[in-house]
């Protein structure tokens, strides 16, 4: 973004203030969304989940704990 200096004082119009408010709201929305996506757990492929479940079952079975 580029800032230009004006030789005289210039006031923002009502429309420009509305655009700035909307842009700030969109920035907040995007930042919140990115933060939520960063903390979300990644999906696990079905093969990995099944392999983990099988490994857990084998470990429990090796110590004599069988599933119901």
């Amino acid at each position: 973004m580029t800032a230009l200096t004006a030789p005289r004082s210039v006031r923002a119009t009502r429309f420009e203030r509305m655009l700035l408010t909307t842009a700030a709201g969109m920035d907040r929305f995007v930042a919140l969304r990115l933060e939520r996506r960063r903390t979300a757990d990644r999906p696990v492929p079905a093969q990995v989940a099944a392999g983990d479940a099988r490994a857990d079952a084998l470990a429990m079975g090796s110590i004599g704990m069988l599933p119901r």
Side-chain angles (χ1 to χ4, degrees):
M1 188 179 242
T2 304
L4 299 174
T5 57
R8 58 185 170 74
S9 177
V10 178
R11 291 184 165 237
T13 64
R14 187 179 307 157
F15 178 71
E16 291 169 333
R17 285 193 302 272
M18 187 235 359
L19 284 178
L20 288 171
T21 303
T22 304
M26 289 176 69
D27 284 343
R28 273 194 307 275
F29 172 77
V30 169
L32 236 153
R33 174 97 177 166
L34 289 174
E35 185 64 32
R36 247 186 295 150
R37 289 184 74 189
R38 184 180 314 146
T39 59
D41 294 333
R42 298 283 181 229
V44 178
Q47 269 186 321
V48 173
D52 289 346
R54 183 173 189 270
D56 290 344
L58 287 172
M60 296 296 277
S62 69
I63 59 171
M65 297 180 71
L66 299 176
R68 290 182 173 201

